Amino acid sequence: MKPGIPKGTRDFSSTEVAKRNYIFNTIKHSFENFGFQPIETPSFENSSTLMGKYGEEGDRLIFKILNSGDYLKKVDENLLADKDSQKVTSKISEKALRYDLTVPFARYVVQHQNEITFPFKRYQIQPVWRADRPQKGRFREFYQCDADVVGSTSLWQEVEFVQLYDTVFSKLGLKGTTIKINNRKILSGIAEVIGASDKLIDFTVALDKLDKIGKDGVVKEMLEKGISAEAIEKVDPLFNFSGNNQDKLASLEAMLQGSEEGLQGVADLRTVVNNVESLGLDSASLELDVTLARGLNYYTGAIYEVAAPEGVKMGSIGGGGRYDDLTGIFGLKDVSGVGISFGLDRIYLVMEELGLFEAVELPKPKVLFLNFEESESLDKVKAIKTLRQNNIKSEMYPDVASSNNQQKKQWKYATNREIEFVVTTVENGTLVVKNMSTGEQTTCSLDELINKVQ
């Protein structure tokens, strides 16, 4: 049987892992520089924790885990005969792979509320899984790098997250990213003004697809969801909003005069935009995008999405927002939260396309002991132990060379791995060492080698 891996998953070579770790470390350093603390949660959660938190489309993309044992035994035969997969699934699957890191984080906060000091700033870098259709930049298994603050309603948190995005992408050399921002209160206000408050979710889910299916596609989907043509006509100006951020705020304020919630959203956005403009950004730009909806039900305030530099065809490389009542689902009321996520896998693809990765140095020994004589092996391993105790990476070629060809193979191994120092013999505490960079061969003691290498 030919080996393979599931669609939407990938193997990573040593070089790819090193490049990914470079991104991870850059993001992690920035998270900690901004005062965030790390946590981790399980790869899978109870289905009840995840289901119903992401909207109808999100729920369909959650990977369910079959119960162990004879999971069909307890299912009613009539239910099986009906072939209703949704009803059967709830009987045979009680756990699911996490879809994102935000809902598990909300569950974590509720469970550990007595151990947490609020406001709680946490970061989390772990994989998530979605049963999505694989395509460029969209995988079924991928990493999210999240930073969230819970226990504060201050709009300074929204300002700080814009700065955090700018900091990370500037450090990665990704100049020209666009941080798009909107506010869910504005979308609720628009739905209210056009008389479609009861269709808010349908309205926002359709609007969020504008960049994918265009205006005609959005209008068609809204009509299919029962939003009237008259209501859609009232939001037509949204599709062609122009001007700078201040111009857009003024237009929104005029449009939302009939909605208190909508005007509050405009006021919140104005505070964030004005403060970001006063502080300045290093390499990113902040853009108010009134069509930005992000189709997740739990957002209640600010919404973020980051677009790659112009000219790179890629979906969003980051996103997030404020969720005032997410922990309330798990029994902890009135705890506001706001957070953002970095899409590591898409960031990687963008950096690769733009040639932003410098030469990556893979982990390798500083000193390699060749293995030509079995009688020297123990002395070499003892020397290696001392080198490692001095934090010098070292190893011995495992197989003893029994021919010239096998000796050449060991030298080739040293060359291919670009190892700096090669020890050929160890006898009576004396080492024969070759500097592979200069070709110079010397005889020295172990202490002298340690000093030379350090």
Side-chain angles (χ1 to χ4, degrees), residues 152-160 267-269 271-272 322:
S152 171
T153 57
S154 171
L155 292 176
W156 283 110
Q157 304 295 347
E158 274 87 334
V159 174
E160 184 172 73
D268 289 353
L269 259 188
T271 298
V272 175
R322 180 170 286 278

Side-chain angles (χ1 to χ4, degrees), residues 313-329:
K313 290 185 178 180
M314 183 64 65
S316 64
I317 57 175
R322 180 170 286 278
Y323 41 91
D324 283 331
D325 56 4
L326 190 61
T327 56
I329 297 168

Side-chain angles (χ1 to χ4, degrees), residues 94-358:
E94 297 168 356
K95 296 176 286 294
L97 292 175
R98 60 171 173 243
Y99 177 88
D100 74 351
L101 299 178
T102 306
V103 171
F105 172 53
R107 189 266 309 150
Y108 175 94
V109 170
V110 175
Q111 274 195 259
H112 300 273
Q113 56 187 285
N114 296 325
E115 308 154 29
I116 292 172
T117 300
F118 292 98
F120 180 46
K121 300 178 74 171
R122 88 81 168 87
Y123 76 84
Q124 197 170 346
I125 300 176
Q126 289 186 278
V128 299
W129 294 267
R130 296 182 184 178
D132 220 339
R133 185 171 64 84
Q135 52 186 289
K136 183 183 178 183
R138 190 181 294 275
F139 307 101
R140 288 177 172 170
E141 178 186 62
F142 57 97
Y143 267 80
Q144 283 190 339
C145 310
D146 283 15
D148 289 77
V149 182
V150 290
S152 171
T153 57
S154 171
L155 292 176
W156 283 110
Q157 304 295 347
E158 274 87 334
V159 174
E160 184 172 73
F161 280 124
V162 174
Q163 291 180 298
L164 180 54
Y165 267 139
D166 179 51
T167 297
V168 169
F169 291 125
S170 296
K171 285 186 175 181
L172 291 173
L174 267 175
K175 300 183 187 302
T177 57
T178 302
I179 304 168
K180 298 179 181 181
I181 190 170
N182 197 10
N183 195 295
R184 199 66 175 243
K185 294 172 187 173
I186 289 174
L187 295 169
S188 297
I190 293 169
E192 181 184 343
V193 167
I194 66 173
S197 292
D198 60 328
K199 298 285 186 181
L200 176 61
I201 299 300
D202 294 328
F203 173 74
T204 54
V205 168
L207 191 62
D208 195 48
K209 297 176 182 176
L210 182 63
D211 60 337
K212 299 182 185 75
I213 62 177
K215 176 183 173 181
D216 292 342
V218 171
V219 170
K220 181 184 177 185
E221 183 166 327
M222 286 184 176
L223 289 170
E224 289 172 351
K225 294 292 185 179
I227 298 172
S228 70
E230 183 184 0
I232 295 171
E233 190 175 337
K234 289 180 181 177
V235 298
D236 189 68
L238 289 180
F239 299 122
N240 301 295
F241 243 48
S242 59
N244 61 31
N245 290 337
Q246 298 298 338
D247 294 335
K248 292 175 182 177
L249 286 166
S251 298
L252 282 170
E253 195 167 36
M255 181 187 290
L256 295 168
Q257 282 303 310
S259 170
E260 185 178 342
E261 183 179 13
L263 290 174
Q264 183 59 57
V266 174
D268 289 353
L269 259 188
R270 181 173 279 122
T271 298
V272 175
V273 169
N274 288 348
N275 282 312
V276 169
E277 288 179 355
S278 297
L279 291 163
L281 297 173
D282 290 334
S283 67
S285 59
L286 182 67
E287 178 189 314
L288 170 51
D289 183 351
V290 292
T291 66
L292 177 61
R294 292 192 65 80
L296 296 178
N297 288 350
Y298 52 65
Y299 290 128
T300 56
I303 315 168
Y304 302 98
E305 195 158 278
V306 183
E310 203 170 326
V312 180
K313 290 185 178 180
M314 183 64 65
S316 64
I317 57 175
R322 180 170 286 278
Y323 41 91
D324 283 331
D325 56 4
L326 190 61
T327 56
I329 297 168
F330 302 115
L332 184 61
K333 301 290 185 183
D334 302 320
V335 179
S336 183
V338 59
I340 60 172
S341 180
F342 291 82
L344 172 108
D345 300 273
R346 288 185 176 182
I347 292 170
Y348 180 101
L349 292 173
V350 172
M351 291 182 66
E352 192 92 283
E353 186 171 332
L354 295 175
L356 295 177
F357 286 114
E358 296 179 3

Side-chain angles (χ1 to χ4, degrees), residues 392-443:
I392 297 171
K393 297 174 185 175
S394 49
E395 68 177 49
M396 180 177 72
Y397 193 90
D399 302 306
V400 180
S402 58
S403 66
N404 285 335
N405 281 340
Q406 289 181 4
Q407 287 188 12
K408 289 178 182 177
K409 184 178 179 182
Q410 293 190 24
W411 282 110
K412 186 177 181 181
Y413 176 84
T415 302
N416 288 347
R417 294 199 65 189
E418 299 179 344
I419 294 168
E420 193 171 348
F421 297 96
V422 171
V423 178
T424 54
T425 61
V426 176
E427 191 173 352
N428 299 323
T430 301
L431 290 69
V432 176
V433 183
K434 182 174 182 179
N435 185 321
M436 297 295 283
S437 302
T438 64
E440 180 187 7
Q441 185 165 296
T442 57
T443 302

